[in-house]
Amino acid sequence: YSDYLDGSIDKVLDQAIELGEIEGDVWLLQDLTGAMAESIERIQGEIEGVSGRLHWLLGCMSAQLIRKGEETPAPSDGEGNYDEYLINRIRTISGFPESSFATLMASYMSGRESLHHLFKIELSSDGLVALPKGGAASNLPPARFPVRTCVSRLAKDLGRESDESGG
C-alpha cells in the first residue's frame, strides 16, 4: 500500500465544498462514502445505455453533487430508498442539456481533486481505483484494494470491542 497510500494529503473530512453557480443553482460537492459506492455498484445495469466507466462517473456525480439547501436521502438507507434516489438522479443529471452537463462535469472533476484523502481515487469501468502517489511509484498502474485490507488489525479489534460493549 505504501506506493498508493498518501498520508501527506491533509483535508478535513465530511465538509462539502462549494463549486459555484451552474444554471441558476449553487452546487456543492461532498465526499464519496462507502455506502454511496455500494449503492452505485448495486444499481449497475439499471439504466439502459449506461455502463462501465460512464456508470461510475454518473453514479459518483449523482451521489456527490447536491444543490445548496437540497435534502437527499441518507446513503446508509442502502437498498431501496437511496438506490431509487440515485437511479433517478443519474437519469436527471444525464438528461441535462449538453452545455450544462459539460459545465457540471468539469466542476465535478476539478472539485474531486480537493477531496482526495489518503488515496487519490479515480474511476474505471470496474469501479473505484487508487492511483499511485507519485515519486518512485509514479509508473505503477491504478490498483483496487478491498476495504477490509486497508484497516489495521488493531482498528478492527477496537471496533469489535466497541460493538460488543454496545457502543
Coordinates of all heavy atoms in Angstrom, one line a residue, residues 23 35 52 82 108 122 131 154:
E23 N -26.2 27.1 -14.0 CA -27.6 27.1 -14.5 C -28.6 27.6 -13.4 O -29.6 27.0 -13.2 CB -28.0 25.8 -15.1 CG -27.2 25.4 -16.3 CD -27.5 26.3 -17.5 OE1 -28.6 26.7 -17.7 OE2 -26.5 26.6 -18.2
A35 N -21.0 3.8 1.6 CA -22.4 3.5 1.3 C -22.8 4.0 -0.1 O -23.6 3.3 -0.8 CB -23.3 4.1 2.4
G52 N -20.2 0.6 -17.5 CA -18.7 0.8 -17.4 C -18.4 2.1 -16.7 O -19.0 2.5 -15.7
Y82 N -32.3 4.9 -1.0 CA -31.2 5.6 -1.6 C -30.9 5.1 -3.0 O -30.6 5.9 -3.9 CB -29.9 5.5 -0.7 CG -28.8 6.4 -1.2 CD1 -28.9 7.8 -1.0 CD2 -27.8 5.9 -2.0 CE1 -27.9 8.6 -1.5 CE2 -26.8 6.8 -2.4 CZ -26.9 8.1 -2.2 OH -25.9 9.0 -2.7
Y108 N -17.2 19.2 -11.3 CA -17.1 18.0 -10.5 C -15.7 17.4 -10.5 O -15.1 17.1 -9.5 CB -18.1 16.9 -11.0 CG -17.9 15.6 -10.4 CD1 -18.2 15.3 -9.1 CD2 -17.2 14.5 -11.1 CE1 -18.0 14.1 -8.5 CE2 -17.0 13.3 -10.5 CZ -17.4 13.1 -9.2 OH -17.2 11.8 -8.7
E122 N -9.7 7.4 -8.6 CA -10.1 7.6 -10.0 C -11.2 6.5 -10.3 O -11.4 5.6 -9.5 CB -8.9 7.4 -10.9 CG -9.2 7.8 -12.3 CD -9.8 9.2 -12.5 OE1 -9.2 10.2 -12.2 OE2 -11.0 9.2 -12.9
L131 N -4.9 5.6 -7.4 CA -3.7 6.0 -8.3 C -2.5 5.9 -7.4 O -2.5 6.2 -6.2 CB -3.9 7.4 -8.9 CG -5.1 7.5 -9.8 CD1 -5.2 9.0 -10.3 CD2 -5.0 6.6 -11.0
L154 N -5.5 -3.8 14.7 CA -5.8 -3.0 15.9 C -7.2 -2.3 15.8 O -8.0 -2.3 16.7 CB -4.7 -2.1 16.3 CG -5.0 -1.2 17.5 CD1 -5.2 -2.0 18.8 CD2 -3.8 -0.2 17.7

